[in-house]
């Protein structure tokens, strides 16, 4: 008898537990900057302890991963929480009704409309709810590229995805809507109900109410979902007062530029209207003007303030009357895009050092153009003398200060390997990943023979950690990446030296500690290898570790390179195999890292060659290990 009572009790507990679970109720693939914000809405059905659950995604049909622990949401009762990807500022703009306590940022939400997500109960690793399946969603019924999906009221959770329990809007529904109408208004966040709707219902899923479609659009699919449609039920779509009877979703509507549309979808049973929904949208005029190459050129190069000119190549002119606003900088000349189809716009006589924004605006009667371009002043420098490659090298980098802020305390150190002083006036510091972080050295920086110069993000020693700089760059626009990044020193297009570091895979990765090159490796070849770099041990200024402007702490012990010499060929590799040849003939362990420090191949006990056919073209780091020792080489795949 006791056993029966126990079984009944367990079934009761199981039923209660099932009711008190999280349910995925909406998923959004945004279309603002960088394809954001991405958003996943989760409903706490009953009282849910989120410390027991994680959210995972499957990208392009791959293995579920990127788990996000939902613990920060704590315990919630009959309420919504949100996981997003992108910036908080864009999230708040597009979903203004969300409050800080209800959302968390995570890569698990960084989905591209063809990715599946699921919620896992962590104790038993049980799938609680899911959207999509573990396949590439492109072309699937659940694809939500640049669009969204909403769960049908009264359904879920579904351990196995069930498309019937979702209303998935047509892909690209959110295109061109960023900043036009909030995604919150289009998607209708926080509207899910656990109670199934038994009334006849029709819901227009595209286009979004108040949306503005891109000029040049010739037809639009009006799509809708319906619940509880009678057997003989029909739909009527009315557009700007003209009714189209007995139609089905999607209903293709021809459209024209510069026209507004009011659409109503009615569900009917005979002549009786059972349910209705409405939307309105417009099709904007096109923007035909296309701005292409922009070049800033010095009129003269002297030690004083010079003038520079700007050339802007364009196509697509002659379709509207365009206004060009340079914020009062320079004189506009060259071809007129209002009358000339393709040509070159000139802005002449801007003062050196003045950066500005130029705006191109079309006539709103026939054009949606409102284009802006940022113009950056070139450095009009006289007497730029370039050293030879390897004469100036990078020897110390503090990319992640701890005692002060990154944009104040980041620094890098260079060393003059020659017996003559070198002036770096006119040299360019280049970020090989982000061109927006490049800068030109516009004042004289003389690096002494066999001496150092230190480049710092802030001149104030009370803010930069106590460094006396030889040159100060703008720490608000140029950053040294805490993970993987690079510095390239160039002069008139020639690379003098460059170093690309990773996130601890081969280069040291410290916080509040600089990376230092061993003095025995002070050359432009050896500083490419992370094994030749170590962490500083001396304290300076406000408490970080480093030796800015003086000899480095880090030295290599004699046994760090006791591994027998190895050969790696061909390099660059163009085929499918990379040969590793070691003098002693013994097997080695081989690890290959991407330029971002990610392991792409790891193979042990290699005696001859490894298969590299899966690698894309690019730069990689190969680490070969034997008996506790290792060496590192760069590998180029073509």
């Amino acid at each position: 008898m006791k056993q029966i009572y126990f079984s009944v009790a367990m079934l009761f507990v199981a039923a209660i537990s099932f009711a008190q679970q999280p349910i995925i109720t909406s998923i959004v693939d945004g279309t603002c900057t960088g394809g954001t914000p991405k958003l996943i809405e989760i409903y706490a059905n009953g009282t849910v302890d989120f410390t027991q659950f994680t959210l995972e995604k499957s990208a392009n049909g791959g293995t579920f991963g990127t788990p996000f622990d939902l613990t920060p949401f704590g315990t919630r009762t009959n309420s919504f929480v949100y996981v997003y990807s992108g910036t908080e500022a864009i999230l708040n703009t597009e979903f203004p009704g969300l409050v800080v306590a209800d959302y968390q940022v995570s890569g698990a939400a960084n989905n591209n409309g063809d990715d599946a997500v699921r919620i896992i109960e962590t104790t038993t690793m049980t799938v609680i709810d899911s959207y999509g399946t573990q396949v590439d969603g492109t072309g699937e019924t659940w694809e939500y590229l640049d669009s969204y999906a909403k769960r049908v009221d009264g359904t879920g959770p579904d351990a196995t995805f069930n498309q019937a329990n979702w209303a998935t809007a047509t892909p690209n529904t959110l295109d061109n809507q960023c900043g036009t109408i909030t995604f919150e208004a289009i998607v209708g966040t926080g509207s899910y109900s656990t109670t199934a709707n038994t009334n006849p219902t029709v819901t227009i899923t595209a286009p979004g109410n108040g949306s503005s479609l891109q000029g040049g659009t010739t037809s639009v699919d009006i799509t809708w979902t319906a619940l509880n449609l009678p057997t003989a039920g029909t739909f009527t779509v009315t557009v700007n007062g003209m009714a189209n009877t007995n139609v089905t979703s999607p209903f293709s509507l021809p459209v024209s530029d510069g026209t507004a549309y009011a659409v109503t979808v009615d569900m009917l049973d005979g002549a009786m209207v059972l349910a209705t929904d409405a939307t309105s949208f417009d099709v904007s005029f096109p923007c035909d003007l296309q701005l292409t190459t922009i070049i800033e050129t010095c009129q003269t190069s002297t030690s004083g303030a010079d003038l520079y000119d700007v050339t802007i190549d364009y196509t697509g002119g002659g379709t509207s009357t365009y206004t060009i606003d340079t914020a009062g900088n320079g004189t506009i000349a060259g071809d007129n895009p209002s009358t000339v189809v393709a040509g070159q716009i000139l802005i002449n006589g801007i003062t050196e050092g003045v950066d500005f924004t130029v705006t191109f605006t079309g006539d709103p009667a026939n054009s949606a153009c409102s284009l802006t371009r940022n113009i950056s002043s070139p450095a009009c420098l006289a007497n730029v003398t370039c050293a030879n490659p390897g004469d100036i090298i990078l020897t110390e980098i503090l990319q992640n200060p701890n005692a002060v802020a990154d944009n104040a305390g980041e620094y890098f150190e260079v060393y003059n390997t020659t017996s003559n002083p070198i002036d770096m006036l006119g040299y360019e510091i280049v970020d090989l990943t982000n061109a927006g972080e490049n800068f030109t050295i516009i004042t004289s920086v003389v690096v002494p023979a066999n001496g150092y110069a230190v480049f710092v993000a802030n001149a104030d020693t009370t803010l930069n950690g106590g460094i006396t700089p030889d040159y100060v760059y703008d720490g608000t626009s140029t950053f040294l990446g805490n993970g993987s990044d690079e510095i390239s020193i160039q002069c008139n297009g020639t690379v003098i030296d460059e170093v690309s570091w990773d996130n601890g895979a081969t280069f040291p990765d410290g916080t509040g500690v600089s990376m230092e090159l061993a003095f025995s490796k002070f050359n432009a070849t050896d500083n490419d290898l992370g094994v030749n770099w170590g962490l500083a041990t001396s304290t300076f200024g406000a408490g970080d570790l480093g030796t800015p402007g003086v000899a480095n702490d880090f030295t290599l012990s004699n046994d760090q390179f006791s591994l027998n010499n190895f050969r790696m060929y061909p390099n660059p590799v163009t085929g499918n195999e990379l040969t590793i040849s070691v003098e002693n003939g013994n097997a080695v362990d081989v690890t290959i890292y991407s330029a971002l420090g990610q392991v792409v191949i790891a193979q042990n006990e290699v005696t001859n060659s490894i298969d590299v056919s899966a690698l894309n073209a690019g730069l990689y780091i190969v680490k070969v290990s034997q008996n506790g020792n290792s060496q590192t080489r760069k590998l180029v795949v073509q």
Side-chain angles (χ1 to χ4, degrees), residues 533-546:
W533 292 73
L535 295 176
T537 56
S538 294
T539 302
F540 73 92
D544 284 335
L545 304 184

Side-chain angles (χ1 to χ4, degrees), residues 514-529:
S514 71
M515 299 187 298
E516 296 189 332
L517 179 66
F519 188 75
S520 60
K521 302 297 177 181
F522 267 35
N523 61 77
T525 300
D526 286 339
N527 73 350
D528 292 338
L529 307 178

Side-chain angles (χ1 to χ4, degrees), residues 180-193:
T180 299
I181 178 174
T182 66
F183 294 162
E184 184 175 277
I186 297 174
V187 177
T189 51
S191 60
Y192 168 79
S193 172

